Structures are given as structure tokens and as C-alpha cells.
Amino acid sequence: MIDIAGVDVVPMGTHSLHLRLEGFPAAAIAAALRDFNLEGVSDVVPAESTMLVRCEHESARHSAVVKLNEILSVADVTERKVNLEPLEIEVDYNGEDLEVVARACELSVEEVIHRHLSSDFVAAFCGFAPGFAYLAGLDPLLHLPRRETPRTRVPAGSVSIAAMYSAVYPNPSPGGWHLLGTTDATLWNVESNPPALIEPGRRVRFIRKP
């Protein structure tokens, strides 16, 4: 039996670990584990409330268990900020759903924009499409469910919100998030290292295009 700070742990494959981290910030814990550069730990992948730790051999798994117990015992792990300076993404607030969002939230369009600009985001995890980061920290007054009818094509660079997250579509794709604006930033480039502009744990702040 594997015991890590009282969280649910399921062995995956031969040596890897899958952790259920309800109540813990998976991105921050993953970043803290990566900082140790443990030999034989080939990847650490956070999701919304789970994390996969890929280990190449038994000694790597043992090292990961020891370090995870250390990390999860630190009281301020929930306050960990991976990047001291936020990545700034310039937005043109010209989204198709701005007025719909304003009505649903009982705010003016300018107040919606202001609250989005004022939010201090952290990439909680990535998924859905390469380079698509779920940015936690959205102002609670902007929390809305996804659109009842998803669009068949959302342009790359679309800045959006849904539930408690904001995100930028890295490539054209179907999608059901509410579109607030657009950015010229490139979110995914296979020739870059890393290819994703926003990785889990990265702080992000949107700024308004002049």
C-alpha cells in the first residue's frame, strides 16, 4: 500500500502513480515535485484534481513518494506561485459573447471586461487540445456554465470563459466557451521549447489592447 499524506493513490502501470488531490492545487504540487529533478521521474502531469507521476523504476517511485509527502505537509503549498512574474497576454475585447455574458451576469460590458482584466490567473492544468490551459482565478461574478450549443469552429486566439476558468483557444476548434475577445499571442508552436506558451502553474494576466 502506498501512503502519501492521506490522499488517494492508485499505482499506474509498473511504477507510476495516480493521485487524487481534491482540496489541493495539483499544478502547484506538480511544479514543486518537478523542482526536485528526481532521477527516473520522467513526467509529472497535473489535471483539475488529480496528478500522474510517471516513474521509470521502483527507486524513482520511492523517491517521488518521499518528496510528495514532504510537499503535501507544507502548510502554504496552496499559495505556491510557480512564476513570480505573470505572463501578460494582450486582448482585444471584441468577443461575440460579451453582451450575452454581461446580461447573464447582470453587469455592464465594461464591468465584465474590467473584472476579467483584474483577475490574477494561474494555469491549473492543460487539456482538451494541445496548448489549451485552464486558467483558474476568474472573478466569481463571471462564473457561467458553458454555452448550451457549442460552436462548430472557434478561431485560434479566442479569449474565453466558462465555469470558474478562462482560456485562450490555441488553434481553431469546436468549443462551447463564452468568447470575450481575441489575442495575437501564439499559444502552441511545435517548434518552440516548450511548445505550449502556458504550462500548468504559470501565472497569467490579461491586458487590454490599446
Side-chain angles (χ1 to χ4, degrees):
M1 180 177 179
I2 300 171
D3 182 30
I4 301 178
V7 303
D8 250 359
V9 184
V10 179
M12 299 289 285
T14 308
H15 305 294
S16 298
L17 301 166
H18 182 269
L19 287 76
R20 297 186 182 278
L21 294 167
E22 285 85 356
F24 292 96
I29 293 167
L33 183 60
R34 288 195 202 99
D35 286 348
F36 287 107
N37 294 315
L38 298 175
E39 182 181 354
V41 176
S42 58
D43 204 0
V44 183
V45 186
E48 184 173 26
S49 58
T50 60
M51 186 173 73
L52 174 68
V53 183
R54 295 183 62 186
C55 303
E56 301 302 323
H57 43 72
E58 182 57 32
S59 61
R61 181 165 73 175
H62 175 73
S63 297
V65 168
V66 170
K67 293 303 180 184
L68 283 165
N69 272 304
E70 290 180 14
I71 293 165
L72 288 165
S73 69
V74 176
D76 64 351
V77 68
T78 57
E79 300 300 322
R80 177 186 170 91
K81 301 294 186 184
V82 178
N83 302 93
L84 296 178
E85 294 298 324
L87 170 68
E88 293 187 341
I89 296 179
E90 193 174 81
V91 182
D92 184 359
Y93 284 93
N94 57 0
E96 294 179 43
D97 297 324
L98 259 177
E99 291 189 2
V100 173
V101 169
R103 287 196 299 271
C105 297
E106 299 183 347
L107 300 169
S108 68
V109 167
E110 280 303 315
E111 184 68 12
V112 170
I113 294 170
H114 170 73
R115 289 182 178 277
H116 190 252
L117 289 168
S118 299
S119 297
D120 187 12
F121 293 103
V122 177
F125 59 101
C126 294
F128 171 62
F132 190 100
Y134 289 73
L135 304 177
L138 180 65
D139 188 301
L141 290 182
L142 299 183
H143 289 187
L144 290 173
R146 288 173 174 80
R147 288 166 49 91
E148 290 185 7
T149 304
R151 292 180 169 89
T152 57
R153 186 181 187 278
V154 176
S158 295
V159 178
S160 59
I161 60 172
M164 63 187 73
Y165 300 107
S166 188
V168 183
Y169 282 79
N171 293 296
S173 69
W177 291 41
H178 304 279
L179 307 183
L180 300 187
T182 55
T183 180
D184 295 328
T186 299
L187 276 291
W188 178 258
N189 182 352
V190 293
E191 297 181 357
S192 297
N193 185 23
L197 179 65
I198 306 173
E199 295 186 294
R202 184 65 195 256
R203 291 181 64 203
V204 175
R205 182 173 291 277
F206 293 104
I207 58 175
R208 194 168 191 169
K209 186 175 182 178

PDB file of all heavy atoms in Angstrom, residues 23-53:
ATOM      1  N   GLY A  23      -8.977  19.287  -2.972  1.00  0.00           N
ATOM      2  CA  GLY A  23      -8.607  20.210  -1.901  1.00  0.00           C
ATOM      3  C   GLY A  23      -7.181  20.697  -1.969  1.00  0.00           C
ATOM      4  O   GLY A  23      -6.779  21.560  -1.194  1.00  0.00           O
ATOM      5  N   PHE A  24      -6.380  20.145  -2.896  1.00  0.00           N
ATOM      6  CA  PHE A  24      -5.000  20.585  -3.083  1.00  0.00           C
ATOM      7  C   PHE A  24      -4.832  21.154  -4.492  1.00  0.00           C
ATOM      8  O   PHE A  24      -5.507  20.704  -5.426  1.00  0.00           O
ATOM      9  CB  PHE A  24      -4.023  19.423  -2.906  1.00  0.00           C
ATOM     10  CG  PHE A  24      -3.927  18.894  -1.508  1.00  0.00           C
ATOM     11  CD1 PHE A  24      -4.683  17.794  -1.124  1.00  0.00           C
ATOM     12  CD2 PHE A  24      -3.080  19.481  -0.584  1.00  0.00           C
ATOM     13  CE1 PHE A  24      -4.589  17.283   0.169  1.00  0.00           C
ATOM     14  CE2 PHE A  24      -2.983  18.983   0.703  1.00  0.00           C
ATOM     15  CZ  PHE A  24      -3.738  17.885   1.086  1.00  0.00           C
ATOM     16  N   PRO A  25      -3.931  22.114  -4.682  1.00  0.00           N
ATOM     17  CA  PRO A  25      -3.676  22.664  -6.023  1.00  0.00           C
ATOM     18  C   PRO A  25      -2.739  21.757  -6.809  1.00  0.00           C
ATOM     19  O   PRO A  25      -1.522  21.744  -6.583  1.00  0.00           O
ATOM     20  CB  PRO A  25      -3.025  24.016  -5.724  1.00  0.00           C
ATOM     21  CG  PRO A  25      -2.320  23.797  -4.414  1.00  0.00           C
ATOM     22  CD  PRO A  25      -3.143  22.792  -3.648  1.00  0.00           C
ATOM     23  N   ALA A  26      -3.289  20.977  -7.712  1.00  0.00           N
ATOM     24  CA  ALA A  26      -2.494  19.979  -8.427  1.00  0.00           C
ATOM     25  C   ALA A  26      -1.324  20.605  -9.183  1.00  0.00           C
ATOM     26  O   ALA A  26      -0.218  20.056  -9.197  1.00  0.00           O
ATOM     27  CB  ALA A  26      -3.395  19.195  -9.386  1.00  0.00           C
ATOM     28  N   ALA A  27      -1.544  21.762  -9.822  1.00  0.00           N
ATOM     29  CA  ALA A  27      -0.475  22.391 -10.605  1.00  0.00           C
ATOM     30  C   ALA A  27       0.691  22.794  -9.720  1.00  0.00           C
ATOM     31  O   ALA A  27       1.859  22.615 -10.080  1.00  0.00           O
ATOM     32  CB  ALA A  27      -1.014  23.603 -11.355  1.00  0.00           C
ATOM     33  N   ALA A  28       0.395  23.350  -8.555  1.00  0.00           N
ATOM     34  CA  ALA A  28       1.460  23.778  -7.642  1.00  0.00           C
ATOM     35  C   ALA A  28       2.241  22.586  -7.107  1.00  0.00           C
ATOM     36  O   ALA A  28       3.471  22.627  -6.993  1.00  0.00           O
ATOM     37  CB  ALA A  28       0.864  24.582  -6.494  1.00  0.00           C
ATOM     38  N   ILE A  29       1.532  21.503  -6.790  1.00  0.00           N
ATOM     39  CA  ILE A  29       2.209  20.306  -6.283  1.00  0.00           C
ATOM     40  C   ILE A  29       3.076  19.692  -7.376  1.00  0.00           C
ATOM     41  O   ILE A  29       4.214  19.272  -7.134  1.00  0.00           O
ATOM     42  CB  ILE A  29       1.169  19.300  -5.766  1.00  0.00           C
ATOM     43  CG1 ILE A  29       0.472  19.868  -4.528  1.00  0.00           C
ATOM     44  CG2 ILE A  29       1.821  17.960  -5.439  1.00  0.00           C
ATOM     45  CD1 ILE A  29      -0.765  19.125  -4.115  1.00  0.00           C
ATOM     46  N   ALA A  30       2.570  19.657  -8.597  1.00  0.00           N
ATOM     47  CA  ALA A  30       3.345  19.121  -9.718  1.00  0.00           C
ATOM     48  C   ALA A  30       4.610  19.941  -9.943  1.00  0.00           C
ATOM     49  O   ALA A  30       5.700  19.388 -10.152  1.00  0.00           O
ATOM     50  CB  ALA A  30       2.487  19.107 -10.985  1.00  0.00           C
ATOM     51  N   ALA A  31       4.482  21.270  -9.898  1.00  0.00           N
ATOM     52  CA  ALA A  31       5.641  22.127 -10.094  1.00  0.00           C
ATOM     53  C   ALA A  31       6.675  21.920  -8.994  1.00  0.00           C
ATOM     54  O   ALA A  31       7.888  21.889  -9.252  1.00  0.00           O
ATOM     55  CB  ALA A  31       5.205  23.586 -10.143  1.00  0.00           C
ATOM     56  N   ALA A  32       6.201  21.777  -7.755  1.00  0.00           N
ATOM     57  CA  ALA A  32       7.118  21.549  -6.637  1.00  0.00           C
ATOM     58  C   ALA A  32       7.861  20.233  -6.808  1.00  0.00           C
ATOM     59  O   ALA A  32       9.072  20.139  -6.536  1.00  0.00           O
ATOM     60  CB  ALA A  32       6.348  21.570  -5.322  1.00  0.00           C
ATOM     61  N   LEU A  33       7.161  19.182  -7.265  1.00  0.00           N
ATOM     62  CA  LEU A  33       7.817  17.888  -7.475  1.00  0.00           C
ATOM     63  C   LEU A  33       8.836  17.977  -8.608  1.00  0.00           C
ATOM     64  O   LEU A  33       9.945  17.432  -8.505  1.00  0.00           O
ATOM     65  CB  LEU A  33       6.771  16.814  -7.763  1.00  0.00           C
ATOM     66  CG  LEU A  33       7.313  15.390  -7.928  1.00  0.00           C
ATOM     67  CD1 LEU A  33       8.028  14.930  -6.648  1.00  0.00           C
ATOM     68  CD2 LEU A  33       6.187  14.426  -8.288  1.00  0.00           C
ATOM     69  N   ARG A  34       8.480  18.680  -9.691  1.00  0.00           N
ATOM     70  CA  ARG A  34       9.423  18.833 -10.807  1.00  0.00           C
ATOM     71  C   ARG A  34      10.710  19.521 -10.368  1.00  0.00           C
ATOM     72  O   ARG A  34      11.789  19.238 -10.884  1.00  0.00           O
ATOM     73  CB  ARG A  34       8.781  19.638 -11.947  1.00  0.00           C
ATOM     74  CG  ARG A  34       7.720  18.904 -12.732  1.00  0.00           C
ATOM     75  CD  ARG A  34       7.429  19.638 -14.040  1.00  0.00           C
ATOM     76  NE  ARG A  34       6.127  19.287 -14.555  1.00  0.00           N
ATOM     77  CZ  ARG A  34       5.030  20.028 -14.395  1.00  0.00           C
ATOM     78  NH1 ARG A  34       5.102  21.169 -13.728  1.00  0.00           N
ATOM     79  NH2 ARG A  34       3.881  19.649 -14.898  1.00  0.00           N
ATOM     80  N   ASP A  35      10.590  20.454  -9.422  1.00  0.00           N
ATOM     81  CA  ASP A  35      11.762  21.203  -8.964  1.00  0.00           C
ATOM     82  C   ASP A  35      12.852  20.296  -8.393  1.00  0.00           C
ATOM     83  O   ASP A  35      14.033  20.674  -8.387  1.00  0.00           O
ATOM     84  CB  ASP A  35      11.362  22.230  -7.902  1.00  0.00           C
ATOM     85  CG  ASP A  35      10.636  23.439  -8.485  1.00  0.00           C
ATOM     86  OD1 ASP A  35      10.639  23.585  -9.725  1.00  0.00           O
ATOM     87  OD2 ASP A  35      10.073  24.229  -7.710  1.00  0.00           O
ATOM     88  N   PHE A  36      12.487  19.113  -7.910  1.00  0.00           N
ATOM     89  CA  PHE A  36      13.477  18.202  -7.339  1.00  0.00           C
ATOM     90  C   PHE A  36      14.286  17.470  -8.417  1.00  0.00           C
ATOM     91  O   PHE A  36      15.331  16.892  -8.115  1.00  0.00           O
ATOM     92  CB  PHE A  36      12.794  17.183  -6.432  1.00  0.00           C
ATOM     93  CG  PHE A  36      12.321  17.751  -5.127  1.00  0.00           C
ATOM     94  CD1 PHE A  36      10.977  17.949  -4.891  1.00  0.00           C
ATOM     95  CD2 PHE A  36      13.226  18.093  -4.130  1.00  0.00           C
ATOM     96  CE1 PHE A  36      10.527  18.473  -3.679  1.00  0.00           C
ATOM     97  CE2 PHE A  36      12.794  18.620  -2.913  1.00  0.00           C
ATOM     98  CZ  PHE A  36      11.437  18.817  -2.697  1.00  0.00           C
ATOM     99  N   ASN A  37      13.798  17.466  -9.678  1.00  0.00           N
ATOM    100  CA  ASN A  37      14.509  16.795 -10.781  1.00  0.00           C
ATOM    101  C   ASN A  37      14.915  15.370 -10.388  1.00  0.00           C
ATOM    102  O   ASN A  37      16.079  14.982 -10.529  1.00  0.00           O
ATOM    103  CB  ASN A  37      15.750  17.599 -11.199  1.00  0.00           C
ATOM    104  CG  ASN A  37      15.393  18.928 -11.815  1.00  0.00           C
ATOM    105  OD1 ASN A  37      14.494  19.019 -12.655  1.00  0.00           O
ATOM    106  ND2 ASN A  37      16.085  19.986 -11.403  1.00  0.00           N
ATOM    107  N   LEU A  38      13.952  14.627  -9.905  1.00  0.00           N
ATOM    108  CA  LEU A  38      14.253  13.279  -9.423  1.00  0.00           C
ATOM    109  C   LEU A  38      14.649  12.349 -10.568  1.00  0.00           C
ATOM    110  O   LEU A  38      13.974  12.288 -11.606  1.00  0.00           O
ATOM    111  CB  LEU A  38      13.036  12.701  -8.697  1.00  0.00           C
ATOM    112  CG  LEU A  38      12.574  13.448  -7.444  1.00  0.00           C
ATOM    113  CD1 LEU A  38      11.289  12.832  -6.911  1.00  0.00           C
ATOM    114  CD2 LEU A  38      13.660  13.434  -6.372  1.00  0.00           C
ATOM    115  N   GLU A  39      15.727  11.632 -10.369  1.00  0.00           N
ATOM    116  CA  GLU A  39      16.169  10.675 -11.379  1.00  0.00           C
ATOM    117  C   GLU A  39      15.116   9.589 -11.554  1.00  0.00           C
ATOM    118  O   GLU A  39      14.625   9.015 -10.584  1.00  0.00           O
ATOM    119  CB  GLU A  39      17.494  10.044 -10.967  1.00  0.00           C
ATOM    120  CG  GLU A  39      18.040   9.062 -11.998  1.00  0.00           C
ATOM    121  CD  GLU A  39      19.337   8.414 -11.565  1.00  0.00           C
ATOM    122  OE1 GLU A  39      19.878   8.824 -10.509  1.00  0.00           O
ATOM    123  OE2 GLU A  39      19.793   7.498 -12.274  1.00  0.00           O
ATOM    124  N   GLY A  40      14.739   9.335 -12.801  1.00  0.00           N
ATOM    125  CA  GLY A  40      13.765   8.291 -13.091  1.00  0.00           C
ATOM    126  C   GLY A  40      12.332   8.744 -13.091  1.00  0.00           C
ATOM    127  O   GLY A  40      11.446   7.981 -13.482  1.00  0.00           O
ATOM    128  N   VAL A  41      12.065   9.998 -12.671  1.00  0.00           N
ATOM    129  CA  VAL A  41      10.719  10.555 -12.794  1.00  0.00           C
ATOM    130  C   VAL A  41      10.666  11.304 -14.117  1.00  0.00           C
ATOM    131  O   VAL A  41      11.235  12.384 -14.264  1.00  0.00           O
ATOM    132  CB  VAL A  41      10.377  11.493 -11.612  1.00  0.00           C
ATOM    133  CG1 VAL A  41       9.015  12.141 -11.827  1.00  0.00           C
ATOM    134  CG2 VAL A  41      10.384  10.695 -10.302  1.00  0.00           C
ATOM    135  N   SER A  42      10.015  10.699 -15.107  1.00  0.00           N
ATOM    136  CA  SER A  42      10.095  11.218 -16.473  1.00  0.00           C
ATOM    137  C   SER A  42       9.051  12.275 -16.785  1.00  0.00           C
ATOM    138  O   SER A  42       9.232  13.071 -17.701  1.00  0.00           O
ATOM    139  CB  SER A  42       9.950  10.071 -17.479  1.00  0.00           C
ATOM    140  OG  SER A  42       8.724   9.394 -17.296  1.00  0.00           O
ATOM    141  N   ASP A  43       7.948  12.317 -16.017  1.00  0.00           N
ATOM    142  CA  ASP A  43       6.916  13.319 -16.296  1.00  0.00           C
ATOM    143  C   ASP A  43       6.000  13.455 -15.088  1.00  0.00           C
ATOM    144  O   ASP A  43       5.786  12.489 -14.350  1.00  0.00           O
ATOM    145  CB  ASP A  43       6.090  12.914 -17.523  1.00  0.00           C
ATOM    146  CG  ASP A  43       5.426  14.108 -18.205  1.00  0.00           C
ATOM    147  OD1 ASP A  43       5.598  15.253 -17.722  1.00  0.00           O
ATOM    148  OD2 ASP A  43       4.740  13.893 -19.215  1.00  0.00           O
ATOM    149  N   VAL A  44       5.491  14.670 -14.903  1.00  0.00           N
ATOM    150  CA  VAL A  44       4.511  14.951 -13.862  1.00  0.00           C
ATOM    151  C   VAL A  44       3.386  15.728 -14.528  1.00  0.00           C
ATOM    152  O   VAL A  44       3.603  16.828 -15.034  1.00  0.00           O
ATOM    153  CB  VAL A  44       5.112  15.767 -12.702  1.00  0.00           C
ATOM    154  CG1 VAL A  44       4.073  15.976 -11.607  1.00  0.00           C
ATOM    155  CG2 VAL A  44       6.358  15.082 -12.142  1.00  0.00           C
ATOM    156  N   VAL A  45       2.182  15.152 -14.555  1.00  0.00           N
ATOM    157  CA  VAL A  45       1.075  15.719 -15.330  1.00  0.00           C
ATOM    158  C   VAL A  45      -0.103  16.032 -14.408  1.00  0.00           C
ATOM    159  O   VAL A  45      -0.810  15.126 -13.970  1.00  0.00           O
ATOM    160  CB  VAL A  45       0.614  14.749 -16.440  1.00  0.00           C
ATOM    161  CG1 VAL A  45      -0.439  15.417 -17.316  1.00  0.00           C
ATOM    162  CG2 VAL A  45       1.799  14.291 -17.281  1.00  0.00           C
ATOM    163  N   PRO A  46      -0.337  17.327 -14.101  1.00  0.00           N
ATOM    164  CA  PRO A  46      -1.491  17.671 -13.266  1.00  0.00           C
ATOM    165  C   PRO A  46      -2.758  17.801 -14.091  1.00  0.00           C
ATOM    166  O   PRO A  46      -2.717  18.195 -15.264  1.00  0.00           O
ATOM    167  CB  PRO A  46      -1.090  19.027 -12.677  1.00  0.00           C
ATOM    168  CG  PRO A  46      -0.236  19.646 -13.747  1.00  0.00           C
ATOM    169  CD  PRO A  46       0.495  18.502 -14.410  1.00  0.00           C
ATOM    170  N   ALA A  47      -3.893  17.480 -13.485  1.00  0.00           N
ATOM    171  CA  ALA A  47      -5.207  17.770 -14.045  1.00  0.00           C
ATOM    172  C   ALA A  47      -5.945  18.627 -13.027  1.00  0.00           C
ATOM    173  O   ALA A  47      -5.321  19.236 -12.163  1.00  0.00           O
ATOM    174  CB  ALA A  47      -5.964  16.480 -14.353  1.00  0.00           C
ATOM    175  N   GLU A  48      -7.274  18.725 -13.121  1.00  0.00           N
ATOM    176  CA  GLU A  48      -8.009  19.619 -12.238  1.00  0.00           C
ATOM    177  C   GLU A  48      -7.851  19.218 -10.775  1.00  0.00           C
ATOM    178  O   GLU A  48      -7.573  20.057  -9.914  1.00  0.00           O
ATOM    179  CB  GLU A  48      -9.490  19.652 -12.611  1.00  0.00           C
ATOM    180  CG  GLU A  48     -10.292  20.644 -11.795  1.00  0.00           C
ATOM    181  CD  GLU A  48     -11.710  20.785 -12.307  1.00  0.00           C
ATOM    182  OE1 GLU A  48     -12.229  19.837 -12.912  1.00  0.00           O
ATOM    183  OE2 GLU A  48     -12.286  21.867 -12.117  1.00  0.00           O
ATOM    184  N   SER A  49      -8.018  17.938 -10.459  1.00  0.00           N
ATOM    185  CA  SER A  49      -7.901  17.497  -9.069  1.00  0.00           C
ATOM    186  C   SER A  49      -7.162  16.167  -8.966  1.00  0.00           C
ATOM    187  O   SER A  49      -7.283  15.456  -7.975  1.00  0.00           O
ATOM    188  CB  SER A  49      -9.289  17.367  -8.437  1.00  0.00           C
ATOM    189  OG  SER A  49     -10.086  16.447  -9.167  1.00  0.00           O
ATOM    190  N   THR A  50      -6.391  15.834 -10.003  1.00  0.00           N
ATOM    191  CA  THR A  50      -5.590  14.607  -9.991  1.00  0.00           C
ATOM    192  C   THR A  50      -4.205  14.916 -10.553  1.00  0.00           C
ATOM    193  O   THR A  50      -3.969  15.981 -11.125  1.00  0.00           O
ATOM    194  CB  THR A  50      -6.240  13.494 -10.834  1.00  0.00           C
ATOM    195  OG1 THR A  50      -6.353  13.948 -12.201  1.00  0.00           O
ATOM    196  CG2 THR A  50      -7.617  13.127 -10.307  1.00  0.00           C
ATOM    197  N   MET A  51      -3.299  13.964 -10.398  1.00  0.00           N
ATOM    198  CA  MET A  51      -1.950  14.137 -10.930  1.00  0.00           C
ATOM    199  C   MET A  51      -1.351  12.776 -11.253  1.00  0.00           C
ATOM    200  O   MET A  51      -1.493  11.819 -10.479  1.00  0.00           O
ATOM    201  CB  MET A  51      -1.072  14.863  -9.903  1.00  0.00           C
ATOM    202  CG  MET A  51       0.313  15.208 -10.422  1.00  0.00           C
ATOM    203  SD  MET A  51       1.220  16.247  -9.244  1.00  0.00           S
ATOM    204  CE  MET A  51       1.608  15.031  -7.981  1.00  0.00           C
ATOM    205  N   LEU A  52      -0.691  12.680 -12.397  1.00  0.00           N
ATOM    206  CA  LEU A  52       0.020  11.473 -12.798  1.00  0.00           C
ATOM    207  C   LEU A  52       1.518  11.715 -12.649  1.00  0.00           C
ATOM    208  O   LEU A  52       2.036  12.728 -13.124  1.00  0.00           O
ATOM    209  CB  LEU A  52      -0.300  11.112 -14.250  1.00  0.00           C
ATOM    210  CG  LEU A  52       0.493   9.942 -14.841  1.00  0.00           C
ATOM    211  CD1 LEU A  52       0.103   8.627 -14.157  1.00  0.00           C
ATOM    212  CD2 LEU A  52       0.276   9.845 -16.355  1.00  0.00           C
ATOM    213  N   VAL A  53       2.189  10.797 -11.976  1.00  0.00           N
ATOM    214  CA  VAL A  53       3.646  10.856 -11.839  1.00  0.00           C
ATOM    215  C   VAL A  53       4.210   9.630 -12.555  1.00  0.00           C
ATOM    216  O   VAL A  53       4.009   8.492 -12.104  1.00  0.00           O
ATOM    217  CB  VAL A  53       4.082  10.854 -10.361  1.00  0.00           C
ATOM    218  CG1 VAL A  53       5.607  11.001 -10.268  1.00  0.00           C
ATOM    219  CG2 VAL A  53       3.390  11.976  -9.597  1.00  0.00           C
TER     220      VAL A  53
END
